[in-house]
Amino acid sequence: MRGECTTETQRSQRKAEYIGFACVVFLCVLCLCPCLPAGRSVVITAMPISEETDLLTAVLERPIVWAYGTHIVAGNIVLMDDSPTDHRRVFVALGDGEWDGVDSLYVNGEQYFDRTGLSDAAGFLFHPGKPGVAGTGGETGSQTVCRWFPAGVTQLNFSHTAYASLWIPRDHSAPGPDLDIRGFYRTRKLQEYNSSGTPTVFQYSANPAWEVLDVLLNLYKLGTARIDFASFVTAAADCVAQVGGFNRFEGHVFFTGESGDQVLDRLLTLCRGFLSDYAGKISLRVDQARGSQHDFTMENISGGGFRWNAGDTRKKPNKVVCQFRDIAADYAFVEHYADREAHQTKVNKVTRAELDLGNSRHGQAFRIANYLAGRSIDVPATARLRGLQDSFHLMPGDVVRIKHDAAPWTYVSGQPDFKSFEVLECSDAAADERDFLLQEYSAAIYSDTEEAGQALASPAIAAREGVPGFVTA
């Protein structure tokens, strides 16, 4: 499995995700969608509700958010207590825990601060979504019942759901009920491992390799015996290799109703990743430039076992569009285009594919778009051959060279020469032979060269004016 672009037919659906807030507005719930782990739900039992205590049941049946990286989050108000005369208490569900923390939080453009250990006043308490614990008086970091939970309502600790509770003073100059609550959150914590599969640290991370592993273990519920941990450790190191002073790949994305395969596909796209399942072990590889592992020639290709196809690119995407919110530009919405203009001219049409990167740096979006366009148009040729015993060590993702009298590639002298291919599939054939499907390989599509992002101006956040995530012209 590998990440792919979204096709033209999904364009309108993707566009809808960006209408409205300039921040990520998460949908959150009290019962989970089918693709998320079973057994994690918050049940609201029968309870007395006064006119002043508004239990917002509109959030029922919405899928809980599964989020990675850093986001601006609005969340869903699941409980609001209007009974006090001088303030209101609001509970905002955020996503499936455990989340890491809050960088900053704003109510109607005014910044609020953590009130842990302080007397009740304007501010918030953050509950990360740990397994629920019995007891009351919970403050930031805990998952007991929050100390601000209103009396007369069945006490809930919202087990496994990250949420924020807010103490909002009444504003007599603006008595309306509207609340615009948004925060910068570091979302899901991830368990990291060493090469032997021993857990090391549990911490916030936007590394796509650990995000993919989190999906396999906690969404698919696979056992650790199915994981090639050494490959994930290597892939994680590839993702944090520095490019222009930043990690090569990061994943700041969220999911609601997507299937597990859709979640994996998007995460793999963010790091040029490939998953393979061989000998009962699932491994991850970050696609990058690499050397040849084997030479196929007339001497070690089974007789009559070589076929070559130039590849039909007429229907393949020649314009890859990456849509993202630029982390460096106040989360402004950006579209980056990777065009293959020569191909557009050749086939006399533009075939567009779209990809949603969530929140990203412009440089990462530039590299991913050009990589996907390169795989689509620049390396279309495929080959099939049957190798002998000396090729049994090859695995999907390995690069090989092929030289064959029937090959169409030649030197100027007219003699066939070696051409590089990547192993896509391999399977056992007759005794001492193995079948291979290969795709043309070019190291040029893995460039770490980045294009600078466009400078955008945005307003500073001031009291009662503006909220994070909006960008002026």
Side-chain angles (χ1 to χ4, degrees), residues 283-294:
S283 61
L284 173 64
R285 173 175 63 85
V286 172
D287 202 14
Q288 55 189 310
R290 52 207 182 275
S292 175
Q293 301 295 311
H294 187 73

Side-chain angles (χ1 to χ4, degrees), residues 222-244:
L222 296 181
T224 55
R226 291 277 285 121
I227 305 299
D228 176 5
F229 285 98
S231 72
F232 282 86
V233 171
T234 299
D238 291 337
C239 289
V240 298
Q242 296 296 285
V243 176

